[in-house]
Amino acid sequence: MVVNAAVHYACLAMMDLAIHGADGAPVRSAEIIRRNEIPGPYLAQILRTLKSAGWVKAIRGSQGGYQLIVQPDAITLLDIAETIGCHDSISPAQDDEPSAQAALKKHWRAADEQSRIQLSRVRLGDVIRSVQESDEPMFYI
């Protein structure tokens, strides 16, 4: 599995909504763009996809923005990757393919499966907690 820029940006946007919208206030897309350096048109497309998936809600008006409506611990990085459209990078082996190509594809597929397993183990909430823990100030005596 190749994790493309759209998946990376979608994860960043969802993390931003979880962290900065924790109080229930909608988060403006301009703030997400500024904090995460996501290209604006790209973010708009990603937010539409996340909204269609039922993970994000758009709120109109002067106080509007976006809210994450799913618990970060209820969604895995694999869920996000599959929703955004991250697909297999290796085509299936063909019957008339040279044996060297077929052998390599077997290993690429195994690596793809391992990446899927890893992404299915990591919840968005896990990543958010690791960011929050690393942002805590250190106190020395």
Side-chain angles (χ1 to χ4, degrees):
M1 167 181 287
V2 175
V3 177
N4 59 29
V7 172
H8 181 73
Y9 291 149
C11 290
L12 287 173
M14 291 182 72
M15 290 169 58
D16 193 285
L17 291 172
I19 292 168
H20 297 285
D23 61 355
V27 179
R28 296 176 188 266
S29 59
E31 295 171 4
I32 299 170
I33 291 167
R34 180 183 53 79
R35 283 190 290 261
N36 299 284
E37 300 177 352
I38 301 173
Y42 220 179
L43 180 63
Q45 180 183 3
I46 288 166
L47 288 171
R48 278 193 300 275
T49 302
L50 296 175
K51 184 178 173 220
S52 295
W55 296 338
V56 170
K57 178 169 98 172
I59 299 171
R60 296 181 185 257
S62 61
Q63 301 299 316
Y66 292 89
Q67 289 179 320
L68 187 66
I69 56 175
V70 64
Q71 291 298 317
D73 283 326
I75 190 163
T76 67
L77 297 184
L78 182 62
D79 295 333
I80 298 168
E82 290 177 339
T83 297
I84 295 300
C86 195
H87 304 290
D88 291 345
S89 58
I90 306 299
S91 61
Q94 304 296 318
D95 291 336
D96 60 345
E97 214 166 43
S99 60
Q101 289 183 25
L104 275 174
K105 281 187 177 182
K106 175 183 164 191
H107 293 286
W108 298 148
R109 287 235 172 259
D112 180 73
E113 182 58 30
Q114 289 303 310
S115 68
R116 286 181 171 282
I117 290 168
Q118 178 60 29
L119 292 175
S120 71
R121 291 179 179 157
V122 181
R123 302 203 173 278
L124 189 65
D126 298 331
V127 182
I128 291 168
R129 282 186 289 281
S130 70
V131 168
Q132 291 170 332
E133 289 168 3
S134 70
D135 286 346
E136 291 180 8
M138 296 291 292
F139 294 99
Y140 298 97
I141 298 178

